[in-house]
Amino acid sequence: MWLGLAFISAFLLGCYEVNKKISLDGNAVIPVLFFNTLISSLIFVPFIFLSFFTDVLDGTMLYVPRVSLETHVAVFIKAVIVLSSWIFGYFALKHLPLTITGPIKATQPVVTLVGAMLVFGERLNLYQWIGVILSIASFYLLSSSGKKEGIRFTHNKWIFFTVLSILTGAASGLYDKHLMGSLDVMTVQVWFNVYQCLMMLPILLFLWYPRRKSTTPFVWHWNIIFISVFLCVADWIYFYALTFPGSMISIVSMVRRSNVLVTFLAGALFFHEKNLKSKAIDLFLVLLGMIFLYLGTR
């Protein structure tokens, strides 16, 4: 059950990435990210009020319980980690093709895997190891494809930003597994979205707004709303998958990165990106790795 939920989350995450790329194309990054966190918060705030002041959601999966200050601090830490990953990832996505960033981000669970083995004692079987090795191989092949577009992985700061996004994203995944061992889905998702919005507000007002006329201007796109909607649903399903006994964060994180199929197709159809044949080989290795991971969980 948890594996099927991970695949559904992956598809929705792909739709999120596509709308994010459309929204960032020639647009200011900070306000796009702020509105993303604001809309996500507005989606969940009603659940807080309905849970705190009525009994409408009592006993449902959408109920938001009252929690201690220590719990709020724990969720706030997650918000800091995720927001750091998003800031790096948003800037990288704006300046790099989807057919480059997608497969690179698909290697993030390899970092999560190392952490899961060290922190949670998770162990992989032969099929799962094959899946991991194929994913690592795809990263090296992708660097060759990137050179054809003038993107040198060792000298491009946006590639460096992508790597930083991967490292912080992997840390978030490990922290998710820790949180979901004692907290419910709504507590984590609702409050980490609210805290992200509160952190983005001063960044918008004091860092971006005073310099807005000397940087890339902000233009509203309706896709910004879709960013939040797809992400909220994808993350809720992801958190729910982690609540199942026996769920493995290393596998769930890897499956979520199969969203690269959606982003790759979008890069080809909507953004007309280049060198698709060589990148398709990289994509094939990623998807083949997903298949082996699936076989390893049966």
Side-chain angles (χ1 to χ4, degrees), residues 76-125:
F76 180 78
I77 293 173
K78 172 181 169 54
V80 172
I81 298 172
V82 173
L83 188 60
S84 300
S85 179
W86 282 6
I87 289 174
F88 289 126
Y90 269 57
F91 275 101
L93 184 61
K94 176 181 176 179
H95 294 91
L96 294 172
L98 265 176
T99 48
I100 290 288
T101 57
I104 293 178
K105 286 286 288 182
T107 64
Q108 175 176 313
V110 176
V111 182
T112 306
L113 165 68
V114 175
M117 293 177 65
L118 295 175
V119 178
F120 299 114
E122 293 187 3
R123 294 294 181 265
L124 304 186
N125 57 39

Side-chain angles (χ1 to χ4, degrees), residues 16 30 33-41 44 72 75-87 90 172 188-204 228 231-232 235 239:
Y16 152 76
I30 296 300
L33 182 51
F34 168 73
F35 280 112
N36 176 18
T37 60
L38 175 62
I39 295 169
S40 296
S41 297
F44 287 112
H72 279 284
V75 177
F76 180 78
I77 293 173
K78 172 181 169 54
V80 172
I81 298 172
V82 173
L83 188 60
S84 300
S85 179
W86 282 6
I87 289 174
Y90 269 57
S172 174
V188 176
Q189 189 169 16
V190 168
W191 290 114
F192 107 82
N193 274 292
V194 171
Y195 290 141
Q196 281 190 123
C197 182
L198 294 177
M199 286 187 286
M200 278 303 303
L201 183 59
I203 293 176
L204 177 79
S228 302
L231 180 62
C232 287
D235 276 355
F239 287 130

Side-chain angles (χ1 to χ4, degrees), residues 63-173:
Y63 177 75
V64 182
R66 297 177 185 271
V67 293
S68 65
L69 176 62
E70 290 78 7
T71 298
H72 279 284
V73 171
V75 177
F76 180 78
I77 293 173
K78 172 181 169 54
V80 172
I81 298 172
V82 173
L83 188 60
S84 300
S85 179
W86 282 6
I87 289 174
F88 289 126
Y90 269 57
F91 275 101
L93 184 61
K94 176 181 176 179
H95 294 91
L96 294 172
L98 265 176
T99 48
I100 290 288
T101 57
I104 293 178
K105 286 286 288 182
T107 64
Q108 175 176 313
V110 176
V111 182
T112 306
L113 165 68
V114 175
M117 293 177 65
L118 295 175
V119 178
F120 299 114
E122 293 187 3
R123 294 294 181 265
L124 304 186
N125 57 39
L126 178 60
Y127 284 124
Q128 292 166 343
W129 272 116
I130 292 174
V132 170
I133 292 171
L134 288 172
S135 298
I136 295 174
S138 70
F139 179 83
Y140 290 104
L141 289 177
L142 189 65
S143 66
S144 300
S145 300
K147 289 180 181 179
K148 297 178 182 179
E149 299 180 46
I151 302 172
R152 298 183 63 85
F153 277 33
T154 55
H155 297 87
N156 189 293
K157 71 176 181 179
W158 305 121
I159 295 294
F160 179 63
F161 271 43
T162 304
V163 172
L164 290 176
S165 177
I166 289 173
L167 293 176
T168 48
S172 174

Side-chain angles (χ1 to χ4, degrees), residues 40-78:
S40 296
S41 297
L42 292 176
I43 290 174
F44 287 112
V45 163
F47 295 110
I48 298 176
F49 285 97
L50 288 174
S51 299
F52 283 18
F53 304 111
T54 74
D55 58 0
V56 174
L57 299 179
D58 289 6
T60 71
M61 296 171 63
L62 299 177
Y63 177 75
V64 182
R66 297 177 185 271
V67 293
S68 65
L69 176 62
E70 290 78 7
T71 298
H72 279 284
V73 171
V75 177
F76 180 78
I77 293 173
K78 172 181 169 54

